[in-house]
Amino acid sequence: MVPVIIILLLSTLPSSSSSIPNYSTKGKWKLLKSSIGVSAMHMALLPNDRVITFDRTDFGPSNITFPAEKCPPGLDCYAHSVEFYPAKRGVRPLTILSDTWCSSGALLPNGVLIQSGGNNAGERVVRTFSPCDDCDWVETRNGLVSPRWYASNQLLPNGKVIIVGGRRQFTYEFIPKTSSSVEYQLPFLKETIRSDAFPNNLYPFIHLNTDGNLFIFANDRAILLDYVHNKVVRRYPVMPGGVSRNYPSTGSSVLLPMNLSGSSATTPPVAEVFVCGGTVPDAVDKAIVGVFVEGAKTCGRLRLNDANPGWEMTEMPLRRIMGDMLLLPTGDVLIINGAARGAAGWEFAREPVLEPVLYEPGLKMFRKMNPTTIPRMYHSSAHLLSDGRVIVGGSNPNSNYNFSALFPTELSVEAFSPPYLFGPKSRPNITGIGSGVNLVYGQKIVVNFRLKGDEKKFKDGKVYVTMMAPSFTTHSFSMNQRLLVVEVAEIRRRFAENYAVVCLTPATPQVAPPGYYQLSVVYDGVPSRSRWVQIGS
């Protein structure tokens, strides 16, 4: 039988809203493990589908220890970092020697997690963790030029990582460090500081633009930085509303999904940033004296490369500070965790927001999801898993492990299953990638998938393919997060319930920095389990 070939050129990201039945639109929660031993202040997913989490080394005794023969010399036997394997719910203690409190990280092109900075003796340390069964943290004591506490990281087109800011650091630098490494002044960070005690510009939101420059948002405004020449090439309008969006008035941000259909090395896709939540600039001062100000409902969208960019404002259905914004493989945005009043910091927030919110960028519509029963306050985190669920952990608004406080230290991890995992529709299953998982830029690839059901009802216009860059999540910002909707050239019906989608990989490392991505086939709003692919060298 001659296969039927269907030509398909995507121009817009299909909306998933019409494909979700009413009875299953709010998702489900499931406890994965009541305790992983540490509070998941920081979280990263490796290409072997293990989740690395850690808090800080001076929190006091954790709830997990090393075997006696593996206790670090000169330290006690309590671990403050673990590897968690969601599929088997296994936990393995890891060794961190320096203080990782409020640090940052990214996944290198080779799949190694690189992690930088922290507090006290950890402020200049760079740590790496490789994805293997018995690997542990490796630390470089002077891996940074300057101390970095509350900084943000982004993987760059050349495979290096830029580190921006930190407490009392109005500079940026690059890792891995070389003998000639220096720091570069960034006056914008000094311009956006509110006060030295409560700056409202820590953990700046940074996103790699499609021209290779870096979008940096701090407090209530943003610039576009040419980090190669240390030059600000654009200043964006102040975000309206009188709300601060960065720590400790903590909101969150994502780079919205980029549709690569019709794009090329000379015609990059549209890049649009989305910023939500936060609170008034002095909310932390008021929280110190017991007055907990309402968080913001407002969000703003900004197209980075328009001739005259301006903020398009909207409102979430719930007020939120310290919320985590995560891209889903469908292109929707999940807003999860946080509180309705106060600010980030020790016991500075009230009224946990238990309901996640799903935002559909194409329709510009929010929908409330089913609530969790576990408050996820300061020092909580979340991350997308390869099976399409979102893992949620952490919450410790206390200076040590404290299980009797108003909001106790939380050692559990749970999973939120978005609406696309329920309902009568079949889920695509990737059966193979014809060209393998090592990709090059501008390459044509064939992704084979199976979709159970009546072939006569199959509609090619409901198929799209996405690539997700995994993030490093802490303090309500998922660094390096990026979702690309790749261009589809054709769809072939191979045989019963089996199809092949021919698509083009991203054209440049400015659009898709080299490294690992979670590739998914989405049909009628339902994503497959993702497959790891690697692009670039």
Side-chain angles (χ1 to χ4, degrees), residues 2 11 30 63 105 144 157 208 220 327 407 448 460 468 478 521 532:
V2 178
S11 58
K30 184 175 184 179
N63 277 32
L144 295 174
L208 182 68
D220 63 355
L327 297 169
F407 298 110
N448 298 313
D460 52 276
M468 177 79 75
S478 292
V521 173
W532 287 99

Side-chain angles (χ1 to χ4, degrees), residues 33 35-39 53-55 60-67 71-72 76-84 89-95 401 403 411:
K33 203 168 187 69
S35 173
I36 59 170
V38 303
S39 187
T53 72
F54 52 95
D55 48 31
S62 68
N63 277 32
I64 188 169
T65 57
F66 297 101
C71 294
D76 59 34
C77 264
Y78 292 101
H80 288 275
S81 175
V82 301
E83 178 189 71
F84 177 61
R89 305 188 191 183
V91 179
R92 181 168 69 94
L94 304 174
T95 308
Y401 289 95
F403 302 103
L411 305 181

Side-chain angles (χ1 to χ4, degrees), residues 476-514:
S476 302
F477 182 46
S478 292
M479 305 172 193
N480 204 54
Q481 189 177 202
R482 199 175 193 86
L483 182 69
L484 308 172
V485 185
V486 302
E487 181 169 337
V488 172
E490 60 179 337
I491 295 175
R492 301 169 183 161
R493 185 175 292 114
R494 299 176 63 226
F495 51 90
E497 299 182 336
N498 283 265
Y499 305 85
V501 54
V502 181
C503 44
L504 301 176
T505 62
T508 69
Q510 287 74 27
V511 171

